[in-house]
Amino acid sequence: MTDKLNSGSIETIMKETRAFPPSKSFTDQAHINDSDSYQKIWKDSQKHPEKFWEKEALSLYWHEKWHTTHEWKEPFSKWFLGGKINVSYNCLDRHLPERKDKLAFIWEGEDGSVRKFTYQDLYEEVSQLANAMETELHLKAGDTAAIYMPLIPEAVIAMLACARIGVAHSIVFAGFSATSLKDRIQDAECKVVFTADIGFRRGQVLDLIKTVREATTECPSVVKTILLRRDSLTTLAPKEIDWEKLTTKQSRQHTAQPFDSEHPLFYLYTSGTTGKPKGIVHSSGGYLVGTSVTTKWVFDLKEEDIYWCTADIGWITGHSYVVYGPLSNGATSVIYEGGPLHPHPGRVWEIIDKHQVTILYTAPTAIRAFMRAGDEYPQKYRLNSLRLLGSVGEPINPEAWIWYHQQIGKGRCPIVDTWWQTETGSILIAPIPGVTTLKPGSATKPFPGIVADIVNEEGHSCAANEGGYLIIRHPWPSMLRTIHKNPERFKEQYWSKFKGMYFTGDGAHRDEEGYFWIKGRVDDVINVSGHRLGTMEIESALVSHPRVAEAAVVGRPDELKGQSIVAFVIPRDSKEKINTQSLQQELKTHVAKEIGSLARPDEIIFTKILPKTRSGKIMRRFLKDLAAGKEISGDTTTLENPGLIELIKS
Ligand code: PRX
């Protein structure tokens, strides 16, 4: 493990590092621009995190104020106990007196069509759906609803309608397969599914309702599917209700009821180190406090900003920074349904100019794809509305950072590299753009109230530049509360490696100035184009194929995607001559069908043996080196079969 923690190219990164202090033109206008006062807030927040969060929580509307800020019965944390809040009220009603005609969303489709929603429009649409959910579907607080939708305003409306009546939503990214959707619906025991018949991406029409119909045949908890018909020819199947018909006669007003701070707002399934994704449970009050304050501070959000986070609502970034963070701040956001490079590689820059976007928040994998497409595309656009850029989801390599800074930000926009996770709910490590000097490739320093550290195998703080595990020493409000139906796994996964510390699963080091440099996962989770996948999940999909005896999956460094998926497979019929080409195709299609095309292996290597320890554990370390074409490093004497692998070729 120590090898892994200290591997990577710290020296190369450090050599390449240049520091970018905040420019005067940015600082002059920034919310937080006084370095000394900020340092004081930060230092105090490290000593008394509760005090910091308590103060920030007051910027939300509470139907009843809490009596106790934090209760910590390790590993279970509760925040704002006794407080009553409605998340949807905070995102809508609260803004109506001053912002009813302000745009909440500007939606753009891949074909260039645009729909705009003011806060009043959004409030009315959400109210109609919430009324229908209560009176027609008889849903109530404590129920669960699945959302399997493209990135369109109705997806956000469904989220806010759920939040409004205390129904926990469980959004499943609309690229997941019927099997993945079914597993998630079953685990969360969803009563309804919100969906649309079709979605659009890269010129293709995605048949979403087909997937939902296939998935729900084995979901007895689902009583109704609420179907948004975008294609007038789509017909309704039994148990399906037309969205329009359900909502159109409903009142455009709805009174939001307060819920306990700890009332679950949503479940979001994410990959871990075992075969099955886990349902991360997020609260209402603490979650909203975390997402709201980080949106304001990290993006220096102002009333007049046009903010665009390119994430899909199927991921945590979409939950926190497309929906709850911006709406709770009364912001105007752009949302776009479609491929970022479609129908031409300048699509994102075109949208920025068209809607005068001021803040862009996207992923390194997208930035690298834009880089590869060529500088001539951004150069065709003015991009002069932009004032701040963000990055999330994986480490951003310094080359991509510099390109983003120069070609897109024209050297004038700070870049906020934000580190966080599905579990953390909101950003935990990121610069504050008006005060933090930036270093390309570093997420810089923890947000106030976040007590982060890097520790060695024994749990002791690492010295400067020593690689270790990223941990958080003190709970924070938007922290996951548990894993749905599996508190044991919650304990085991996050709280057992180091006593009293939240284990992130990431490796990192800190430089002499206390800047955090996150290297990526140290467990069996891989990050492909910013999407988190469990290697065991892909292995389970592979071994469910009748022609596979055994499989081991590893990540291989990939210039564009961060990591690509390489599977080592022992076929059942390895004694016979096999057509590796056709079997490779068959298995890739099989994994895509089992999980979704995002998990399709990039390469499958057929072998007769896999490197295992004498106790039968697959030695992934060696497979990673093999996949990356590296020399095998480390001790091989403990291997049961030191031959490592024995390739099968056609
Ligand atoms: O490895 C880290 C990486 O993404 C993981 C979390 O993935 P997920 O739960 O899907 O959430 C992604 C969006 C927040 C982390 O454990 N990661 C995320 N942001 C960064 C990052 N790695 C380096 N730098 C980041 N800014």
Side-chain angles (χ1 to χ4, degrees):
M1 191 60 85
T2 323
D3 283 0
K4 186 159 27 177
L5 295 175
N6 280 310
S7 71
S9 48
I10 297 179
E11 292 75 21
T12 341
I13 295 171
M14 301 296 272
K15 254 188 251 151
E16 282 171 9
T17 296
R18 287 158 54 188
F20 293 79
S23 69
K24 184 161 165 13
S25 57
F26 187 89
T27 308
D28 280 349
Q29 307 291 323
H31 275 312
I32 299 172
N33 55 9
D34 175 354
S35 193
D36 292 345
S37 338
Y38 176 72
Q39 284 314 321
K40 178 161 179 0
I41 295 174
W42 191 85
K43 278 197 184 121
D44 290 349
S45 82
Q46 297 293 298
K47 278 192 234 128
H48 308 288
E50 275 88 3
K51 284 221 161 63
F52 171 78
W53 294 115
E54 203 171 79
K55 183 160 175 279
E56 291 310 312
L58 291 172
S59 65
L60 296 178
Y61 178 81
W62 296 83
H63 281 78
E64 259 175 63
K65 209 190 148 207
W66 62 93
H67 54 69
T68 306
T69 304
H70 182 215
E71 181 192 277
W72 178 222
K73 291 185 181 156
E74 195 189 326
F76 299 102
S77 184
K78 289 185 180 169
W79 286 83
F80 311 113
L81 290 88
K84 300 264 188 260
I85 193 165
N86 186 295
V87 170
S88 180
Y89 182 96
N90 271 280
C91 292
L92 299 170
D93 315 38
R94 192 165 59 110
H95 304 308
L96 296 183
E98 282 172 18
R99 302 189 180 102
K100 89 181 163 45
D101 298 323
K102 180 174 175 177
L103 288 178
F105 281 114
I106 304 169
W107 173 86
E108 173 134 353
E110 204 168 59
D111 65 356
S113 49
V114 170
R115 293 167 71 197
K116 294 184 177 178
F117 288 74
T118 62
Y119 272 89
Q120 180 71 28
D121 297 334
L122 200 58
Y123 164 79
E124 291 184 11
E125 300 258 351
V126 170
S127 294
Q128 284 191 306
L129 185 57
N131 283 321
M133 288 169 77
E134 284 178 337
T135 60
E136 302 278 324
L137 304 173
H138 310 293
L139 294 167
K140 53 183 186 325
D143 288 340
T144 314
I147 301 178
Y148 186 79
M149 294 190 71
L151 188 45
I152 53 178
E154 284 76 6
V156 179
I157 291 165
M159 293 168 79
L160 294 172
C162 287
R164 200 160 181 90
I165 63 169
V167 166
H169 56 70
S170 167
I171 306 185
V172 181
F173 172 62
F176 276 117
S177 67
T179 312
S180 297
L181 176 60
K182 177 197 72 185
D183 289 348
R184 287 159 172 78
I185 293 176
Q186 286 180 347
D187 191 69
E189 296 174 60
C190 298
K191 288 209 167 151
V192 293
V193 181
F194 290 95
T195 192
D197 49 357
I198 50 174
F200 299 94
R201 198 170 167 89
R202 280 190 237 121
Q204 308 243 327
V205 178
L206 311 172
D207 192 349
L208 305 181
I209 187 62
K210 180 166 173 259
T211 309
V212 171
R213 285 177 185 158
E214 196 183 324
T216 49
T217 50
E218 290 174 59
C219 297
S221 64
V222 174
V223 288
K224 286 279 185 251
T225 293
I226 298 98
L227 175 61
L228 182 79
R229 289 193 278 183
R230 305 176 86 189
D231 176 350
S232 56
L233 298 177
T234 305
T235 52
L236 293 171
K239 284 199 183 180
E240 289 172 2
I241 325 179
D242 179 69
W243 189 304
E244 277 292 310
K245 204 162 161 222
L246 177 72
T247 53
T248 185
K249 290 204 190 92
Q250 297 291 334
S251 159
R252 294 183 161 269
Q253 288 193 345
H254 178 273
T255 308
Q257 299 301 316
F259 296 106
D260 196 87
S261 298
E262 285 297 313
H263 188 78
L265 179 64
F266 65 85
Y267 305 141
L268 182 57
Y269 286 81
T270 189
S271 299
T273 48
T274 65
K276 264 196 172 307
K278 46 199 179 180
I280 302 299
V281 180
H282 278 291
S283 70
S284 298
Y287 171 80
L288 198 65
V289 170
T291 50
S292 190
V293 60
T294 49
T295 304
K296 197 159 52 190
W297 289 34
V298 175
F299 300 106
D300 183 44
L301 192 69
K302 307 249 178 58
E303 196 59 46
E304 60 280 8
D305 273 315
I306 309 285
Y307 163 96
W308 184 16
C309 166
T310 64
D312 190 277
I313 45 140
W315 311 112
I316 191 68
T317 310
H319 285 61
S320 303
Y321 297 105
V322 173
V323 180
Y324 294 114
L327 289 180
S328 61
N329 280 289
T332 299
S333 292
V334 168
I335 46 176
Y336 169 61
E337 178 193 9
L341 297 148
H342 200 86
H344 58 83
R347 189 71 175 108
V348 164
W349 322 127
E350 181 182 54
I351 294 175
I352 289 172
D353 275 5
K354 181 167 168 186
H355 300 297
Q356 291 292 288
V357 171
T358 56
I359 300 172
L360 175 71
Y361 188 30
T362 194
T365 189
I367 298 166
R368 291 190 293 263
F370 300 141
M371 265 173 95
R372 184 177 280 193
D375 296 354
E376 62 272 30
Y377 293 101
Q379 279 166 6
K380 278 192 207 154
Y381 299 90
R382 291 167 61 89
L383 305 179
N384 58 343
S385 55
L386 286 172
R387 65 177 195 91
L388 187 128
L389 303 170
S391 171
V392 61
E394 45 178 321
I396 179 164
N397 46 315
E399 303 73 33
W401 196 103
I402 298 286
W403 184 88
Y404 197 28
H405 192 251
Q406 287 173 352
Q407 294 294 325
I408 309 307
K410 313 288 183 198
R412 92 182 159 258
C413 306
I415 296 180
V416 290
D417 175 3
T418 61
W419 177 90
W420 59 296
Q421 309 178 297
T422 304
E423 293 87 341
T424 69
S426 58
I427 295 168
L428 296 201
I429 305 180
I432 301 297
V435 290
T436 312
T437 290
L438 307 172
K439 296 186 187 181
S442 167
T444 73
K445 300 200 178 176
F447 193 78
I450 302 300
V451 190
D453 199 359
I454 295 168
V455 298
N456 62 17
E457 203 66 52
E458 286 73 47
H460 302 308
S461 291
C462 290
N465 294 325
E466 183 193 346
Y469 300 100
L470 177 63
I471 58 98
I472 314 293
R473 290 195 180 276
H474 192 278
W476 62 100
S478 65
M479 180 174 111
L480 79 162
R481 293 302 188 257
T482 186
I483 291 174
H484 185 52
K485 291 185 181 162
N486 208 340
E488 281 311 310
R489 191 169 166 200
F490 168 68
K491 247 189 225 175
E492 164 63 30
Q493 182 84 43
Y494 307 105
W495 301 97
S496 65
K497 187 162 174 70
F498 302 110
K499 179 97 195 75
M501 305 176 206
Y502 169 83
F503 174 52
T504 63
D506 277 343
H509 77 272
R510 211 170 4 196
D511 66 21
E512 293 84 354
E513 290 177 306
Y515 276 58
F516 284 70
W517 298 78
I518 320 287
K519 286 206 227 70
R521 306 290 306 197
V522 291
D523 53 11
D524 294 328
V525 169
I526 53 179
N527 193 328
V528 181
S529 299
H531 295 149
R532 175 167 161 181
L533 292 163
T535 51
M536 304 251 297
E537 213 178 324
I538 307 172
E539 286 163 9
S540 300
L542 281 165
V543 296
S544 72
H545 190 281
R547 292 185 68 189
V548 174
E550 231 179 309
V553 169
V554 293
R556 168 167 62 199
D558 183 285
E559 269 197 11
L560 198 61
K561 302 199 278 187
Q563 281 184 299
S564 60
I565 306 170
V566 179
F568 292 84
V569 165
I570 305 184
R572 284 203 184 279
D573 38 13
S574 64
K575 289 198 185 71
E576 298 155 29
K577 195 158 172 56
I578 55 168
N579 182 336
T580 51
Q581 282 298 328
S582 78
L583 186 54
Q584 163 141 214
Q585 275 318 317
E586 194 176 322
L587 295 183
K588 285 183 181 178
T589 310
H590 177 72
V591 173
K593 183 155 184 345
E594 284 295 301
I595 305 177
S597 49
L598 72 169
R600 183 193 297 268
D602 294 273
E603 189 180 353
I604 297 183
I605 298 168
F606 294 103
T607 170
K608 288 184 187 162
I609 50 166
L610 283 168
K612 285 190 187 158
T613 59
R614 297 211 165 97
S615 59
K617 244 186 110 194
I618 294 175
M619 295 293 278
R620 284 164 203 284
R621 180 156 62 94
F622 294 121
L623 293 177
K624 269 189 206 161
D625 286 351
L626 280 169
K630 281 196 213 156
E631 289 281 303
I632 300 301
S633 57
D635 185 6
T636 56
T637 54
T638 54
L639 287 179
E640 170 71 30
N641 41 7
L644 299 176
I645 60 167
E646 205 178 307
L647 294 181
I648 302 174
K649 297 202 174 109
S650 287

